Amino acid sequence: MVAIKQKLRIGDLLVQNGVITEDQLQQALQKQKTTGLRLGRTLINMGIVEEDKFLEFLSEQLQIPFIDLRRYRIDADAVLRLSETYARRYRAIVLTEKKGQLLVGMADPTDIYAFDALERILQQPIQQAVVRESELLSTMDLVYRRTDEIATFAEELEGEMIDGEFDLAALSPDPSDGDAPVVKLLQSIFQDAVQVRASDIHIEPDENVLRIRQRVDGVLQEQVVKERRIASALVLRLKLMSALDISEKRLPQDGRFSLKIKERKLDVRLSTMPVEYGESVVMRLLDQTEGAARLENVGMPAEMMKRFRRLIHMPHGLILVTGPTGSGKTTTLYGALQELNEVGKKIITVEDPVEYRLHRINQVQVNPKIGLTFARILRSALRQDPDILLVGEIRDTETAEIALRAAMTGHLVLSTLHTNDAVSSAMRLLDMGAEGFLAATAVKAVLAQRLVRRLCEYCCVDHEATPRERGWINSVAGITLTAEHKLKQASGCHRCNNTGYRGRIGVFELLIINDDTADALRRNDSADFVRAARASKGYQPLVVSALNEAFAGITSLDEVFIVAEQIDESGDWIIEGI
């Protein structure tokens, strides 16, 4: 191990070892004068030497390890030995501690000034390692959560409140008041949420604490703040930002606002609700930076995608997308709309609420307070000469009948239903009071979907299925596990916040209405419809779709079991004891 205590002429060493030529060195030195970057980074940016080759050369010359941070399991306690400020300043991160010595990854281990500063700050022997700078920066975003910062700002905000009172003027939506404690606290909360890719933020006052929870990949993560009194200040500020009635604390309210965090434009949908110890706030974060997802990015299998694309390009008919709240229905529908959005087509949507704003598409927000319901907007929309209609949700008989009749009279109608699977969805329309002949003629297909968590590619490990799991898979899907089925399970690392999962992917069940299923619908024969649906060509149950993702090593069996439990109404998918 060599500690860097002397100036290392890295350029000369590169030339001596034949990594670069003298001419290339001179070009890089000339370029360095204008950029101010270090020689190694200049060589890499100019394409003279590959980053990995350069770092491996440094590793060999300095006799220090070259560590791939994507695969390295960082010690969560050790990393906090160095504050985020110093870590970013010196491009360094503490990876682990062994026998009183700290292993520190550095983007430039030849920087003797950074090395001396780190020794002085850490006050402990340092063993250097060289790491890729891009990976170092992305790793910092993951390991340095803003929990301490949030707690500090919460304490500061409480310090400005006397007996639970606060200055209303200090909470005004003036953009120049960026130093106000409540503003700094909210900024930290939103920055932390963006950092961990949260879809929702929950602010919940309890008896003695304030709970700030974030939903990441469908699962809530919690931070407890002891300063419960600041909840009222946070809620007031958020109400002001959302243009809500700040004097009304007895009734729920809904609003929205936009903000920019880390170069990302967020559209925030806010909902308040009176609870026992104040007001609970839930905020849905919609990232508008890249707009709505495209259809090819929802995760649908290639063959199913081909069939679904044929369906959405039909001139008329009703296509239903079903699943519980948070199953990705809106993402799929927006993806379909983006594909259908052409100059020659008039598209109108009826939504509650409008999530993503799409160019050239007429989007209408439902507002029951003034009588602007799904059914009323839909009737008016049909007089606007549309080619395609999107109905955010079919909730009642009137909306169902209008949507079905529109699908029969030359319009393509896309809509959602809250049902468990594709097979039960078409019959649900009949349960709502729709006529069987209407459903049989208008409904062309039903797509059911769920979201399952993706295994973290950096820490997932192989999984050997238990006899009980093997038996369940065989009974549900008729599949006998072999060596070709590569199952994996969650482990946990710094990149996935020790959850073992990072991101989500959709699993789908597509049912195309054929003559047999249409005939069962017309007769309102649910048993015959189920039999005909399961026997239809290309039909594959949701659970089997989820199992295929597990066999591909994308998700775990645990996630498959969650899907199975969600759609279990008849007891067919009981997995108790697994």
Side-chain angles (χ1 to χ4, degrees):
M1 189 62 53
V2 176
I4 308 306
K5 286 295 186 180
Q6 58 188 18
K7 184 69 174 178
L8 184 67
R9 295 181 63 85
I10 193 66
D12 292 340
L13 283 174
L14 287 166
V15 173
Q16 290 169 16
N17 287 270
V19 179
I20 62 173
T21 65
E22 181 64 36
D23 286 343
Q24 289 174 326
L25 173 60
Q26 294 306 318
Q27 291 173 25
L29 290 172
Q30 193 64 33
K31 182 73 173 180
Q32 189 184 21
K33 292 177 182 179
T34 60
T35 63
L37 297 174
R38 294 190 173 276
L39 179 61
R41 178 49 51 186
T42 303
L43 288 165
I44 293 167
N45 290 348
M46 292 177 68
I48 293 174
V49 64
E50 294 180 0
E51 184 175 20
D52 280 10
K53 187 174 181 180
F54 175 75
L55 296 181
E56 286 168 0
F57 175 80
L58 275 185
S59 171
E60 182 181 341
Q61 291 296 317
L62 304 179
Q63 299 175 35
I64 62 176
F66 171 32
I67 290 178
D68 184 348
L69 287 179
R70 294 173 302 177
R71 306 291 177 187
Y72 192 83
R73 196 168 285 231
I74 295 174
D75 185 329
D77 295 324
V79 75
L80 298 179
R81 296 286 298 275
L82 185 66
S83 70
E84 183 179 6
T85 302
Y86 288 129
R88 293 190 182 277
R89 179 184 301 173
Y90 299 118
R91 291 290 195 268
I93 187 170
V94 180
L95 302 174
T96 189
E97 180 178 9
K98 289 183 180 179
K99 298 179 181 179
Q101 191 176 52
L102 296 175
L103 177 63
V104 178
M106 298 182 69
D108 182 8
T110 67
D111 187 344
I112 59 175
Y113 303 107
F115 181 84
D116 288 340
L118 291 170
E119 274 197 325
R120 186 173 60 255
I121 294 164
L122 294 169
Q123 297 182 343
Q124 213 169 321
I126 292 176
Q127 176 190 357
Q128 286 180 300
V130 60
V131 298
R132 299 182 187 92
E133 185 172 13
S134 58
E135 289 176 11
L136 175 65
L137 295 175
S138 62
T139 299
M140 286 178 182
D141 287 339
L142 294 169
V143 298
Y144 287 110
R145 295 289 301 276
R146 298 181 179 271
T147 51
D148 292 339
E149 188 178 277
I150 290 170
T152 300
F153 289 148
E155 189 174 341
E156 184 180 342
L157 176 57
E158 188 182 49
E160 292 202 356
M161 300 169 62
I162 303 174
D163 297 328
E165 298 178 356
F166 44 86
D167 182 4
L168 180 62
L171 300 177
S172 66
D174 183 356
S176 65
D177 65 353
D179 290 332
V182 68
V183 175
K184 291 190 288 187
L185 176 55
L186 283 173
Q187 285 175 341
S188 292
I189 290 172
F190 282 115
Q191 286 170 354
D192 190 52
V194 169
Q195 202 163 298
V196 298
R197 303 167 296 104
S199 61
D200 302 83
I201 300 174
H202 296 233
I203 298 176
E204 304 169 340
D206 210 331
E207 184 176 7
N208 299 311
V209 297
L210 174 66
R211 302 183 190 279
I212 300 173
R213 303 205 280 175
Q214 300 169 333
R215 191 175 294 281
V216 181
D217 295 335
V219 179
L220 285 172
Q221 300 176 2
E222 180 178 87
Q223 178 180 1
V224 176
V225 177
K226 62 181 180 180
E227 293 81 10
R228 191 192 68 80
R229 293 191 305 163
I230 68 171
S232 54
L234 284 176
V235 173
L236 177 56
R237 177 69 191 216
L238 290 168
K239 281 184 174 180
L240 286 168
M241 293 167 68
S242 307
L244 299 180
D245 184 354
I246 61 174
S247 64
E248 181 56 76
K249 301 179 180 179
R250 302 164 300 169
L251 297 174
Q253 296 188 68
D254 296 312
R256 70 190 305 161
F257 60 90
S258 297
L259 73 162
K260 196 171 185 180
I261 298 288
K262 288 190 171 184
E263 303 304 318
R264 306 200 73 81
K265 184 181 178 184
L266 296 182
D267 196 7
V268 182
R269 280 183 11 218
L270 178 142
S271 171
T272 71
M273 184 175 68
V275 293
E276 186 174 2
Y277 297 106
E279 288 181 275
S280 168
V281 174
V282 175
M283 292 175 282
R284 168 64 57 88
L285 309 181
L286 300 170
D287 191 344
Q288 304 286 343
T289 307
E290 299 175 356
R294 303 196 68 82
L295 192 57
E296 58 266 23
N297 296 331
V298 301
M300 200 179 296
E303 184 57 35
M304 188 182 294
M305 176 67 75
K306 191 184 298 183
R307 297 164 68 203
F308 186 68
R309 279 198 161 114
R310 283 201 298 266
L311 289 164
I312 65 173
H313 283 92
M314 292 190 307
H316 58 83
L318 173 62
I319 299 173
L320 294 170
V321 180
T322 74
T325 301
S327 59
K329 301 186 299 296
T330 303
T331 300
T332 299
L333 286 174
Y334 272 104
L337 284 185
Q338 291 209 97
E339 187 156 315
L340 295 168
N341 190 5
E342 301 172 358
V343 174
K345 293 179 180 176
K346 169 92 169 189
I347 303 176
I348 300 176
T349 72
V350 188
E351 304 176 66
D352 184 21
V354 173
E355 293 198 3
Y356 291 97
R357 295 168 176 85
L358 304 175
H359 299 296
R360 203 189 292 119
I361 293 178
N362 298 270
Q363 297 173 271
V364 186
Q365 169 79 51
V366 169
N367 188 349
K369 293 180 181 178
I370 59 172
L372 203 60
T373 61
F374 275 105
R376 183 172 180 179
I377 297 172
L378 197 50
R379 279 195 297 268
S380 299
L382 288 171
R383 294 193 287 270
Q384 292 280 312
D385 188 28
D387 296 293
I388 300 168
L389 289 166
L390 183 144
V391 184
E393 183 186 350
I394 295 178
R395 297 177 178 175
D396 51 53
T397 304
E398 187 178 12
T399 305
E401 289 191 347
I402 297 173
L404 288 167
R405 292 187 184 280
M408 288 180 61
T409 54
H411 304 89
L412 177 65
V413 182
L414 308 175
S415 189
T416 71
L417 274 178
H418 284 287
T419 52
N420 280 341
D421 57 12
V423 174
S424 62
S425 298
M427 299 304 299
R428 172 70 179 136
L429 290 174
L430 304 188
D431 293 339
M432 294 173 69
E435 296 288 344
F437 76 91
L438 274 178
T441 306
V443 179
K444 301 301 180 185
V446 184
L447 179 75
Q449 67 179 81
R450 293 291 189 281
L451 292 176
V452 295
R453 291 184 292 171
R454 286 179 179 269
L455 285 165
C456 175
E457 61 178 306
Y458 301 108
C459 66
C460 63
V461 295
D462 292 338
H463 173 64
E464 181 69 31
T466 66
R468 188 181 291 272
E469 289 170 343
R470 289 173 179 273
W472 182 82
I473 291 170
N474 185 263
S475 66
V476 167
I479 295 172
T480 300
L481 291 183
T482 66
E484 295 180 0
H485 298 104
K486 304 294 186 182
L487 295 172
K488 293 186 177 295
Q489 65 182 13
S491 176
C493 66
H494 68 280
R495 287 187 169 270
C496 58
N497 199 29
N498 293 315
T499 63
Y501 298 94
R502 184 169 172 80
R504 291 190 289 178
I505 187 172
V507 293
F508 303 88
E509 172 183 302
L510 179 61
L511 172 63
I512 298 176
I513 302 301
N514 57 22
D515 291 342
D516 293 336
T517 48
D519 183 57
L521 272 178
R522 196 174 290 109
R523 293 183 283 103
N524 197 1
D525 187 337
S526 59
D528 199 25
F529 180 82
V530 170
R531 282 192 296 270
R534 290 181 175 172
S536 63
K537 182 180 179 181
Y539 172 75
Q540 179 177 276
L542 264 173
V543 172
V544 176
S545 178
L547 271 173
N548 287 336
E549 299 295 344
F551 295 152
I554 294 172
T555 192
S556 66
L557 280 181
D558 289 338
E559 289 293 293
V560 177
F561 297 152
I562 290 173
V563 171
E565 288 176 325
Q566 287 175 345
I567 64 174
D568 173 35
E569 285 187 341
S570 62
D572 292 343
W573 312 107
I574 293 295
I575 55 174
E576 185 178 353
I578 292 181

